[in-house]
Amino acid sequence: MLKRENPISIEGPAGVLEGLHYDQPEACGLALICHPNPVKGGTMLNKVVSTLQRTARDAGYATLRFNFRGVGGSAGQHDMHTGEVDDAEAALRWFQAQHRGLPLTLLGFSFGGFVAATLAGRLESRGEALERLVLVAPAVSRLVDQPLAERCKLTVIQPDDDEVIDPASVHAFSAGLQHPHELLKVAECGHFFHGKLVELKELVAPRLG
């Protein structure tokens, strides 16, 4: 099986977005992956994002990761709010046009968790189908007053020793959700999963099966 992603360009709302697309033969689904905070150096090449991409690829998914506006070769300037969600939706529309009719999974890390969760809520509000949402150390403080998806399968993965996102805030976010979901806590693990990427893959992989 070929393992290489192909560089692609997508027309986004603030200009061209650069991405990496893996065209899985006979894909079982689509996995769109959103990267962490652009202001703090987050890109689609972040190692957690790369781990999520490989996990989805190995589970049989076509994958797409991309740089938000103002990151790498993507045009525009950081918005740090709805602009990046608009970018994610533009990337998703391109992705779906390449692979019509396949079930969709959104995955997001840190700030990308905010983007993925907000996009999921946007899709559900329009009656569009979403199979699963995976949020890794999500920036839940940004989700206050955002409509959230309630019909998809939801997994939240939170490191216990996160130095960027307060674990207690994620636990409280989980406790406040009214719909079924799972919260997975990763012991002795910081925000960027140093030394824990294999464990992250082992948590995500069975949930994509």
Side-chain angles (χ1 to χ4, degrees):
M1 179 177 69
L2 292 174
K3 300 286 189 179
R4 189 173 64 234
E5 298 166 274
N6 295 313
I8 52 101
S9 295
I10 300 164
E11 280 300 324
V16 171
L17 300 171
E18 69 171 341
L20 290 169
H21 173 228
Y22 182 68
D23 188 4
Q24 180 82 249
E26 300 182 11
C28 66
L30 305 182
L32 180 74
I33 306 143
C34 299
H35 73 69
N37 193 326
V39 174
K40 297 186 177 179
T43 79
M44 65 178 176
L45 300 180
N46 169 273
K47 65 181 183 179
V48 173
V49 172
S50 297
T51 297
L52 294 174
Q53 186 277 326
R54 289 192 296 269
T55 304
R57 175 202 69 194
D58 293 349
Y61 287 69
T63 69
L64 177 64
R65 48 178 161 163
F66 64 98
N67 278 332
F68 295 126
R69 59 185 64 194
V71 178
S74 292
Q77 295 182 326
H78 305 323
D79 179 276
M80 297 306 298
H81 192 51
T82 56
E84 282 80 8
V85 182
D86 294 341
D87 293 343
E89 184 170 0
L92 174 61
R93 298 311 178 199
W94 180 92
F95 196 23
Q96 290 176 318
Q98 315 307 309
H99 308 272
R100 296 190 182 278
L102 291 178
L104 172 64
T105 292
L106 299 179
L107 305 98
F109 169 48
S110 195
F111 173 79
F114 151 73
V115 174
T118 305
L119 178 58
R122 185 183 288 186
L123 296 176
E124 186 172 285
S125 71
R126 297 174 185 160
E128 297 183 42
L130 174 64
E131 179 76 15
R132 178 175 286 281
L133 176 62
V134 178
L135 305 178
V136 179
V140 294
S141 64
R142 295 178 179 272
L143 290 171
V144 175
D145 298 327
Q146 293 288 342
L148 301 175
E150 298 185 351
R151 293 192 291 273
C152 64
K153 300 172 185 175
L154 171 61
T155 299
V156 181
I157 301 174
Q158 179 56 45
D160 279 349
D161 298 333
D162 197 322
E163 69 283 10
V164 176
I165 303 293
D166 179 12
S169 70
V170 177
H171 301 165
F173 169 79
S174 170
L177 294 176
Q178 300 300 309
H179 51 283
H181 66 286
E182 57 181 351
L183 171 63
L184 307 176
K185 301 176 183 179
V186 185
E188 300 179 353
C189 180
H191 185 68
F192 295 100
F193 288 80
H194 298 310
K196 294 284 187 174
L197 291 172
V198 171
E199 186 171 343
L200 175 62
K201 183 170 185 175
E202 289 173 347
L203 288 173
V204 175
R207 289 160 175 85
L208 299 180

